[in-house]
Amino acid sequence: MPRLVILNQVEGFRVFDLDNEKTVIGRGDDADLMLPNISVSRHHAQLSLNGGVATIVDLESSNGTIVNGQRVSTSLLSSGDEILLGKFNIVYMGDGPEDRFYKGRYLEYMIKYDAKPRTFDDSTFAMSPEQIQQMQDDANKMRNGRMALLTNSNRYWHPEDRVLTFGDAGMVSVDGMFTGGVVAEVTWDGKHHVLRKQARLLKLQVNDEPVSERRLRHGDRIRIANSGFRYEVVDD
């Protein structure tokens, strides 16, 4: 189904499923998608889906609806279009096979958007400054670690703290023999991303060394069958 990716600079990306034909967006309690900030009107905009076509209509909001940098009253949406509603940055994603990832992040793994207030968690107050720094470093590695295609560095995939699979039945396809099903995966062990071989006949190498399992480090060169990748930890 089509989705909205809501960009949160503090907590990362959130995803909102567009499972209704019409979605009213605003800060009001009766909005289908609530954006709780005074910069957003109570009923700011409406997004409609009709026969695979997505349209956003500004509902005479105070600050306007901006699509790809242009203020609009009505606009057709294509996958990847960026929408600015008050202080909120939102990206519309379609439901095609190529729309499963946003900036290399698998939409199915994103946390669902929830506008309800969260309870305050004060557990970090019991931690030392060194422990807090280590926790932040690990979170940065988890969030920003990615597998970039060697032949096209603009194509990359973020495993984050879930499983990223490779192969004909995986999330990322690879070239070569013996690539049917899921042949390799990257998982998070709490401190590192770990590459694991899942097919006995698969050719899997890290920095030209055959491996069956390896903790990944920034700059590692990875070959899965005939496809090459580089593991990077880079701020988007």
Side-chain angles (χ1 to χ4, degrees):
M1 71 178 66
R3 297 175 171 92
L4 295 177
V5 176
I6 301 168
L7 311 185
N8 186 318
Q9 298 301 320
V10 176
E11 298 177 324
F13 299 128
R14 297 291 184 266
V15 65
F16 179 84
D17 295 335
L18 293 169
D19 48 11
N20 295 318
E21 290 185 0
K22 294 183 179 181
T23 301
V24 174
I25 307 171
R27 78 168 192 276
D29 293 340
D30 57 344
D32 301 309
L33 170 55
M34 189 173 70
L35 303 177
N37 188 274
I38 193 64
S39 65
V40 179
S41 296
R42 289 185 58 81
H43 296 159
H44 197 110
Q46 177 175 281
L47 195 153
S48 302
L49 301 171
N50 186 8
V53 177
T55 306
I56 192 165
V57 177
D58 183 74
L59 300 178
E60 299 183 357
S61 64
S62 298
N63 292 323
T65 297
I66 313 297
V67 177
N68 296 329
Q70 300 293 321
R71 184 163 181 161
V72 301
S73 55
T74 301
S75 178
L76 296 176
L77 295 176
S78 299
S79 188
D81 280 349
E82 298 183 0
I83 306 164
L84 182 64
L85 302 176
K87 293 185 177 181
F88 287 84
N89 292 297
I90 298 173
V91 178
Y92 171 76
M93 299 297 293
D95 59 356
E98 69 281 4
D99 301 321
R100 297 182 301 163
F101 289 87
Y102 172 70
K103 289 192 172 182
R105 302 180 191 276
Y106 193 44
L107 265 62
E108 292 291 343
Y109 284 174
M110 287 186 186
I111 298 173
K112 299 296 185 183
Y113 179 80
D114 184 2
K116 296 179 181 179
R118 298 183 175 185
T119 57
F120 181 68
D121 181 6
D122 62 356
S123 59
T124 56
F125 285 97
M127 302 172 67
S128 69
E130 292 78 13
Q131 288 173 316
I132 293 174
Q133 183 62 52
Q134 184 62 55
M135 181 181 67
Q136 291 173 339
D137 291 344
D138 290 342
N140 180 69
K141 187 189 304 180
M142 180 273 290
R143 181 176 296 173
N144 295 322
R146 68 190 190 187
M147 298 281 284
L149 195 63
L150 282 179
T151 56
N152 183 356
S153 60
N154 291 323
R155 293 194 65 193
Y156 50 82
W157 300 265
H158 288 275
E160 298 188 275
D161 60 348
R162 308 296 287 273
V163 179
L164 182 66
T165 55
F166 297 81
D168 293 346
M171 302 170 189
V172 183
S173 61
V174 292
D175 298 325
M177 299 178 62
F178 311 116
T179 57
V182 172
V183 298
E185 67 179 23
V186 174
T187 59
W188 178 250
D189 71 358
K191 289 187 175 295
H192 302 87
H193 282 118
V194 180
L195 174 68
R196 291 188 178 90
K197 184 176 179 177
Q198 297 293 322
R200 184 172 60 87
L201 298 178
L202 176 73
K203 180 181 179 181
L204 182 64
Q205 296 179 323
V206 176
N207 300 327
D208 301 321
E209 176 187 347
V211 300
S212 59
E213 180 175 319
R214 176 68 64 86
R215 278 184 169 182
L216 297 176
R217 297 176 298 178
H218 175 70
D220 279 347
R221 302 183 317 278
I222 298 157
R223 182 156 295 277
I224 304 175
N226 293 337
S227 296
F229 303 86
R230 185 185 304 277
Y231 178 74
E232 303 171 334
V233 181
V234 180
D235 290 333
D236 288 336

